Amino acid sequence: MNGFDKRKNYGGDASHWKDWRIKVTTWLGQVNRTFETLVRKLDRSENEPQEPEEGHRMKVGATELTTEEEWCGEELYHRPVQKCEGPALAIVRNQNTQGKERGRIAWYRTLRDAEG
């Protein structure tokens, strides 16, 4: 069952965010340790990720991402699509047309919505 119980989806209630986040990030870290460094960068970033200009690497803040972190960023879109519902899913779904940055933007916005 992909390591998750379907009843443990995140619906946008900030009081559930920390528990849901630790479960998701721990599971993602088992898939690929690079998720841990990427999520830490997103957690500390004061600016929402932006789509890079043609020929430039993606960034979180002023820090360029590695190729592995870029791949993990796309997965940060797919996992919440599967594990969010209600208002939280709406935040993620609204990033569907954001190109390569959609996963990082979805994570960043969900995090900021939950933690203020």
Side-chain angles (χ1 to χ4, degrees):
M1 193 159 19
N2 291 343
F4 283 114
D5 181 343
K6 183 163 178 59
R7 295 169 290 166
K8 302 297 181 187
N9 289 348
Y10 177 65
D13 182 342
S15 67
H16 299 147
W17 168 253
K18 288 184 179 182
D19 289 344
W20 183 84
R21 181 188 180 283
I22 191 74
K23 290 175 184 180
V24 168
T25 56
T26 300
W27 186 85
L28 289 170
Q30 290 176 329
V31 172
N32 185 325
R33 294 257 182 241
T34 302
F35 279 107
E36 294 172 7
T37 59
L38 177 59
V39 168
R40 271 192 305 249
K41 288 178 183 179
L42 288 168
D43 287 351
R44 289 186 300 233
S45 179
E46 295 182 18
N47 300 311
E48 183 172 295
Q50 301 291 318
E51 196 70 26
E53 294 181 26
E54 179 102 18
H56 289 87
R57 296 195 68 90
M58 289 179 236
K59 295 181 179 181
V60 171
T63 306
E64 285 190 354
L65 299 180
T66 65
T67 302
E68 192 75 10
E69 288 172 328
E70 288 180 359
W71 177 86
C72 289
E74 181 63 13
E75 292 302 306
L76 279 178
Y77 178 78
H78 295 292
R79 180 54 45 184
V81 163
Q82 296 170 2
K83 301 312 297 176
C84 289
E85 57 190 28
L89 180 57
I91 291 171
V92 176
R93 187 179 55 241
N94 287 335
Q95 306 319 306
N96 192 40
T97 61
Q98 295 299 320
K100 293 178 180 181
E101 286 293 345
R102 69 185 183 172
R104 282 175 289 282
I105 292 170
W107 185 266
Y108 181 89
R109 288 186 180 178
T110 304
L111 169 72
R112 294 305 178 255
D113 182 67
E115 295 186 359

